Amino acid sequence: LDATAARTLGTLWSTLRGRGVDLLFTCLHSAETVRLLKAHGVPLEEVGEGLPDPGDSSALWFPTLEGALRWCEGSLLRVAQGQDLCSLDRPRMTLAEILEMHMQHPQALYHDKVDADRAARDLQRVMKKRTLQPGEVLFSAGDPSDDVYFIVEGSLTLLLRFQVEDRTRLALPGATQGSSSVDRLFEYPPGSIVGQDDFLMCTPRTATASCGQACVLHVVPRAAFDTLRQRSPEALIILTSVMLRAGAIKERHALDTLGAAQ
């Protein structure tokens, strides 16, 4: 970034700001880049945990692209919720409500309506209850995948790290091709099911899960499936169906994201 580019961005920021548009900056790894932008009228202020809230006249500067994207998504959701275009996240859901939500279209697997209350009672006999405080780690990448988690209260944040090819080095004289990691964060509110993919594949955890907001979980250990098979096969079928549907939703979202990126 040279002085001319910094001056152009300063003019762009001022013009957009005058029209009520926020211009976000991210991945400013060079101190010289930050100095140039500030010198040409871009009032950068870093946004992140432990930092004071930026003023209304500041240009928001996020250390990572992920942080900027989450800020944008949160802003759009607040506008949509304020206009009653979508509902607010529920602070708590019972296990029966979670099952009912996933089985709301019974014709996909069943001809008759599923008794979610009865299934929830049968499942809770083999489930464990666990509470987490903000920041507490539930599992780390590489851990055994021996449990599935139903979030009834609070939220979990999954950190997934991708190894990507670093093509920027190829543009520099004498540079060699390398790779770097990119972190993506996924937040799961009440009603979500976490950990079922690795569990069903019997592979180590591919992500690290930590508590966002203080949360309450229903934990399904692997041994519970044998118990349900013997004592309550109907509840086992419902549990398996719900886990598969949750995985299918994630796959559909991934396909939609890939399609939008083409």
Side-chain angles (χ1 to χ4, degrees), residues 24 53 62 67 90 97 125 132-134 189 213 243 248:
L24 275 57
D53 292 334
F62 294 84
R90 296 179 60 177
E97 289 172 336
R125 294 189 182 99
L132 295 175
Q133 297 304 313
Q213 300 176 352
M243 289 170 55

Side-chain angles (χ1 to χ4, degrees), residues 18-185:
R19 299 186 180 186
V21 179
D22 289 308
L23 182 63
L24 275 57
F25 293 83
T26 184
C27 300
L28 301 179
H29 303 306
S30 167
E32 178 63 15
T33 297
V34 174
R35 187 193 68 77
L36 274 173
L37 287 171
K38 288 184 175 181
H40 287 86
V42 182
L44 290 171
E45 191 162 350
E46 190 169 2
V47 179
E49 293 185 9
L51 297 175
D53 292 334
D56 292 337
S57 60
S58 302
L60 303 183
W61 163 25
F62 294 84
T64 64
L65 176 60
E66 177 69 30
L69 290 173
R70 289 170 63 84
W71 186 91
C72 292
E73 291 168 352
S75 298
L76 291 172
L77 282 174
R78 284 192 293 272
V79 172
Q81 291 166 350
Q83 298 296 322
D84 292 328
L85 298 176
C86 66
S87 60
L88 295 170
D89 290 336
R90 296 179 60 177
R92 179 180 176 84
M93 291 186 70
T94 66
L95 181 60
E97 289 172 336
I98 297 173
L99 298 178
E100 183 73 28
M101 176 181 66
H102 280 281
M103 304 302 293
Q104 59 184 321
H105 301 296
Q107 65 271 21
L109 293 171
Y110 304 97
H111 294 294
D112 300 322
K113 182 176 176 62
V114 171
D115 188 343
D117 291 323
R118 178 181 175 184
R121 289 194 298 270
D122 290 341
L123 290 175
Q124 285 178 319
R125 294 189 182 99
V126 298
M127 286 178 162
K128 302 174 183 177
K129 189 176 181 180
R130 182 168 178 182
T131 59
L132 295 175
Q133 297 304 313
E136 189 174 351
V137 175
L138 178 62
F139 57 77
S140 300
D143 286 351
S145 52
D146 294 328
D147 303 285
V148 178
Y149 304 94
F150 286 71
I151 305 176
V152 297
E153 187 175 346
S155 65
L156 285 176
T157 299
L158 261 66
L159 168 65
L160 189 59
R161 178 160 293 171
F162 298 92
Q163 291 297 323
V164 297
E165 184 179 298
D166 187 355
R167 296 181 178 274
T168 59
R169 302 182 186 179
L170 301 180
L172 303 176
T176 58
Q177 183 171 335
S179 64
S180 59
S181 62
V182 174
D183 293 342
R184 290 301 313 272
L185 295 175

